[in-house]
């Protein structure tokens, strides 16, 4: 009522079930818990509007609308129209992203009457807009799919996530780190296993056993005759006794 706008149906149903959502999870390294994932949907009371009013008390202080640049929209006719910080759009913060940017609910057409059509956009720290989804439900699925990993929203920007965040993606979400692959064929994610390479036995060098030197035939005969002579002499001695 304060901003003369109506929440989209899916977001309204979400707030009827729960007033906001926050879930964090940690990883254990060297017996120490380190916070890693964070999934946040602001409550209704924290659904603050961005833009319009100045951040400072001075009457001539600049606003976000003064920092807006519309020159980049001239060559991007095929892309969605970006939100505006002035009265043309209504922007509400859904997720503060731990200071890495802001996920916003955007009413793109606020003049002369606020349109009920909304979209979800990501505002990075350089105040550039990046389109995420058309509905809150689709964004909520993205949030759960990416496990709330640090800077996961930057995977939908032209410059991507930071190298440190990419390491966490490679560990927990190796498929979704490269969003360009999502538009390729479905079998590109199939693990093509070649059993011939996996179960191929390694060629081990055979260990050569040392062979005992063979004795000449004459020595074998003499050894046999000596053994038989000793056996006969022993038998004679026993008969004499």
């Amino acid at each position: 009522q304060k901003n003369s706008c109506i929440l989209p149906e899916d977001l309204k149903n979400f707030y009827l079930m729960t007033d906001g959502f926050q879930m964090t999870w940690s990883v254990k390294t060297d017996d120490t818990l380190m916070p890693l994932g964070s999934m946040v949907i602001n409550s209704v009371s924290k659904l603050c509007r961005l833009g319009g009013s100045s951040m400072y008390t001075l009457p001539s202080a600049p606003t976000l609308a003064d920092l807006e640049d519309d020159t980049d929209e001239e060559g991007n006719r095929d892309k969605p129209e970006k939100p505006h910080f002035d009265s043309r759009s209504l922007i509400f913060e859904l997720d503060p992203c731990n200071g890495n940017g802001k996920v916003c609910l955007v009413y793109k057409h606020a003049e002369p009457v606020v349109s009920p059509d909304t979209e979800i956009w990501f505002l990075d720290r350089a105040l550039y807009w990046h389109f995420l989804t058309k509905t809150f439900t689709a964004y909520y699925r993205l949030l759960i799919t990416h496990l709330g990993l640090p800077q996961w929203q930057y995977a939908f920007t032209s410059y991507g996530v930071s190298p440190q965040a990419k390491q966490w993606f490679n560990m927990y979400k190796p498929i979704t780190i490269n969003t360009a692959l999502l538009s390729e064929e479905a079998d590109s994610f199939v693990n093509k296993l070649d059993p011939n390479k996996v179960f191929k036995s390694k060629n081990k060098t055979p260990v050569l056993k040392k062979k005992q030197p063979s004795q000449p035939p004459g020595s074998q005969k003499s050894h046999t005759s000596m053994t038989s002579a000793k056996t006969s002499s022993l038998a004679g001695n026993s008969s004499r006794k």
Side-chain angles (χ1 to χ4, degrees), residues 167-187:
Q167 294 181 1
W168 294 116
F169 269 88
N170 290 330
M171 183 177 298
Y172 293 102
K173 298 295 295 181
I175 294 179
T176 57
I177 180 57
N178 191 355
T179 56
L181 295 177
L182 297 177
S183 59
E184 297 182 359
E185 298 179 359
D187 59 354

Side-chain angles (χ1 to χ4, degrees), residues 56-121:
Y56 306 97
T57 56
L58 297 176
S60 60
T63 62
L64 290 176
D66 298 326
L67 303 177
E68 189 172 6
D69 186 11
D70 295 337
T71 57
D72 57 344
E73 294 185 357
E74 297 178 358
N76 297 327
R77 298 298 182 183
D78 54 337
K79 295 183 180 180
E81 180 186 356
K82 294 182 180 180
H84 301 280
F85 290 113
D86 55 16
S87 58
R88 288 174 290 179
S89 302
L90 288 179
I91 306 169
F92 299 92
E93 179 184 322
L94 283 177
D95 183 0
C97 303
N98 291 326
N100 294 315
K102 294 180 184 297
V103 174
C104 300
L105 174 71
V106 177
Y107 295 82
K108 295 174 63 175
H109 304 288
E111 291 182 346
V113 181
V114 179
S115 173
D117 298 331
T118 59
E119 294 176 347
I120 308 297
W121 286 72

